[in-house]
Amino acid sequence: MDFPAQRFVFRPGDAGYDEEIAGFQTGFTIRPALVVGAETTDDVIAAVAHAAGHALPVGVQATGHGLPGASEGGVLISTRRMDSVAVDAAARTATVGAGARWGQVVEAAAAHGLAPLNGSAPSVGAVSYTLGGGLGILARAFGYAADHVRSLDVVTADATARHVTADSDPELFWGLLGGGATLGVVTRLEIGLVPVARLYGGAVTFDGATTDPAALLRGYEEWTRTLPEELTSSLAAVAYPDVPPLPPHLRGRYLISVRVAFTGPAAEGQRLAAPLRTLGPVESDTLREMPYTESPTIHSDPEFPHAYYGDSVALSDLDATAAGKLLALAGPDADTMHVVQINHLGGALARPAPNAVPFREAGWLVRLLTPLHGVDVAAARELHARAFEHVADEALGRSLNFAFGGADRPERLYDADTRRRLAELKVTYDPANLFRRNYGVSRSQRSSTDEFS
């Protein structure tokens, strides 16, 4: 297989191949025929041109939180070396390379008293997160990360580098933000930053064994009705197995946490959060004023690579009784460990923006994740289907960013109008369907528009 000489090009069996394709998600294996460790936009152009010339699928990977299964047998472009971050404090913007992680952007912005619209885990790739919409810890106050993009640099399927703005290419700009990585390889984003240097946040955690989880959920839902949009929160429930790798204080415990991020004064945050402590016996309470650089402690997401499968559903409203049944199904009586997260939406998330992020009318997002330790994907998928049935009456669709484990189901990721517009863009910019998600079927079985079916 011919390819222009570059420093980081790998094929199966080459030294460095396995390291280059490794990522945060370890539950699925990809075996691209060619891996290009891109350092520049020219490297990306060469990789896309090679793939187009050989009719090979193209996948893109920065950190490996989400794996590009479509690159199986094709070309994988690894962007982790393209990790530049530059902040323009006067303009309140950051220019972010395709391989940059949110932790880097947070640190760079904090030096100027600013913050990006990042997620809860600092190790997540900033660009891929934003292309999927980007539901972050300040979401109700400022909206989706995609709402704050000023411009994108992208290499499309014709191996052309384009600088895209809402004015220069309004339809392509719209589709790239929310459509994920199916229209090209985004090599750089210019994003708006917000004037947040400190926040009031943390988590109040309850012992699920000494309180009624359904009652706690009802109390949480009632509490959210009183909140200003400056406060973003979520509830998480985890039944930890009793296994040695876990610290003793977690082994065999069922813990339910409410996580809070408030951008207003700390005293007002304390007042707003006070009712949470009445919902049940408090196991721990980390609510405090903190510099924004400490915001990852609110969720304390795992930092080590691991195997997992998950899905999500956006809801018009939250029926606490129905959601309580979902909580019970994935709770301590389940056959294996599950993580349930329920995000309170609304606020700035409901405002229109020139992008393809769907379901802005949703009031809630329910996420379900299953670690794949002694559990196969089929069993996890079956449990998820049964769990989500409990909230089906309010379901609007699914979230692309939280279709963990390879996005193996395309259904209901978009509303009908968004799906139609994205399919039209796909035909225009990638008629040969180089960039595609892997839904477990071969290329011959799908057309380019099926990406948005």
Side-chain angles (χ1 to χ4, degrees):
M1 183 181 293
D2 60 308
F3 193 80
Q6 290 178 259
R7 287 205 300 163
F8 301 106
V9 175
F10 308 90
R11 296 173 177 83
D14 288 350
Y17 175 90
D18 290 338
E19 180 182 350
E20 194 70 26
I21 65 175
F24 189 83
Q25 163 68 276
T26 64
F28 299 83
T29 301
I30 58 173
R31 301 299 294 178
L34 183 72
V35 184
V36 178
E39 296 180 280
T40 67
T41 297
D42 285 344
D43 293 342
V44 175
I45 291 172
V48 171
H50 176 86
H54 293 79
L56 296 172
V58 179
V60 184
Q61 178 172 306
T63 67
H65 278 73
L67 292 182
S71 60
E72 186 78 12
V75 176
L76 175 67
I77 301 174
S78 170
T79 63
R80 60 188 174 90
R81 296 173 181 84
M82 302 174 68
D83 63 350
S84 62
V85 177
V87 172
D88 184 333
R92 289 185 180 175
T93 62
T95 302
V96 180
R101 302 173 185 238
W102 273 129
Q104 297 170 253
V105 187
V106 168
E107 290 288 343
H112 307 281
L114 301 170
L117 274 299
N118 57 287
S120 58
S123 62
V124 167
V127 170
S128 54
Y129 163 99
T130 303
L131 298 182
L135 178 65
I137 61 174
L138 305 181
R140 279 175 42 83
F142 297 104
Y144 290 97
D147 300 346
H148 296 261
V149 173
R150 307 288 182 85
S151 67
L152 309 94
D153 291 343
V154 60
V155 177
T156 46
D158 57 358
T160 298
R162 305 170 189 264
H163 182 70
V164 178
T165 71
D167 293 326
S168 68
D169 300 273
E171 195 67 5
L172 181 57
F173 181 88
W174 174 89
L176 287 168
L177 297 170
T182 56
L183 296 173
V185 183
V186 173
T187 59
R188 184 163 49 208
L189 290 180
E190 182 185 10
I191 58 173
L193 303 174
V194 297
V196 175
R198 304 185 67 82
L199 54 76
Y200 179 82
V204 180
T205 300
F206 306 89
D207 184 353
T210 58
T211 189
D212 180 354
L216 197 157
L217 176 58
R218 283 194 297 274
Y220 169 66
E221 187 275 331
E222 291 170 0
W223 173 73
T224 62
R225 300 177 198 173
T226 69
L227 300 178
E229 62 184 37
E230 291 79 12
L231 194 151
T232 303
S233 70
S234 64
L235 179 145
V238 186
Y240 293 95
D242 187 3
V243 293
L246 290 174
H249 72 281
L250 295 180
R251 293 182 197 170
R253 303 289 304 282
Y254 182 44
L255 299 177
I256 303 173
S257 300
V258 175
R259 290 84 67 91
V260 170
F262 176 62
T263 58
E268 179 64 4
Q270 291 172 354
R271 185 190 69 81
L272 291 168
L276 289 176
R277 300 182 177 96
T278 68
L279 296 182
V282 175
E283 176 79 12
S284 66
D285 183 343
T286 64
L287 292 175
R288 68 194 189 283
E289 186 180 21
M290 66 179 73
Y292 193 75
T293 51
E294 293 182 9
S295 61
T297 64
I298 295 174
H299 289 244
S300 296
D301 291 329
E303 300 176 357
F304 53 88
H306 57 285
Y308 51 94
Y309 182 84
D311 210 341
S312 62
V313 60
L315 306 178
S316 57
D317 199 2
L318 185 70
D319 181 328
T321 300
K325 295 177 182 178
L326 180 152
L327 211 63
L329 187 62
D333 293 333
D335 292 337
T336 189
M337 177 183 176
H338 304 283
V339 179
V340 178
Q341 180 165 313
I342 301 176
N343 289 76
H344 180 216
L345 306 181
L349 294 165
R351 296 173 190 153
N355 56 53
V357 180
F359 311 124
R360 289 181 176 269
E361 70 274 29
W364 299 85
L365 181 72
V366 178
R367 297 157 56 182
L368 182 54
L369 182 146
T370 301
L372 296 176
H373 299 291
V375 180
D376 62 25
V377 170
R381 187 185 295 122
E382 191 274 333
L383 182 282
H384 294 185
R386 286 192 288 126
F388 287 133
E389 274 298 311
H390 289 298
V391 293
D393 289 347
E394 292 79 29
L396 300 171
R398 301 162 58 231
S399 171
L400 176 61
N401 270 2
F402 301 112
F404 299 115
D408 60 324
R409 293 191 297 115
E411 298 86 3
R412 303 186 73 188
L413 287 171
Y414 301 98
D415 59 88
D417 183 60
T418 300
R419 185 169 61 245
R420 175 190 58 78
R421 289 178 66 182
L422 286 171
E424 291 172 355
L425 279 169
K426 186 71 171 172
V427 171
T428 300
Y429 287 98
D430 185 18
N433 197 20
L434 291 183
F435 309 107
R436 57 186 184 269
R437 302 186 189 106
N438 179 23
Y439 297 123
V441 295
S442 70
R443 184 182 184 202
S444 63
Q445 292 173 287
R446 303 191 71 85
S447 71
S448 61
T449 57
D450 284 338
E451 291 301 307
F452 306 104
S453 63

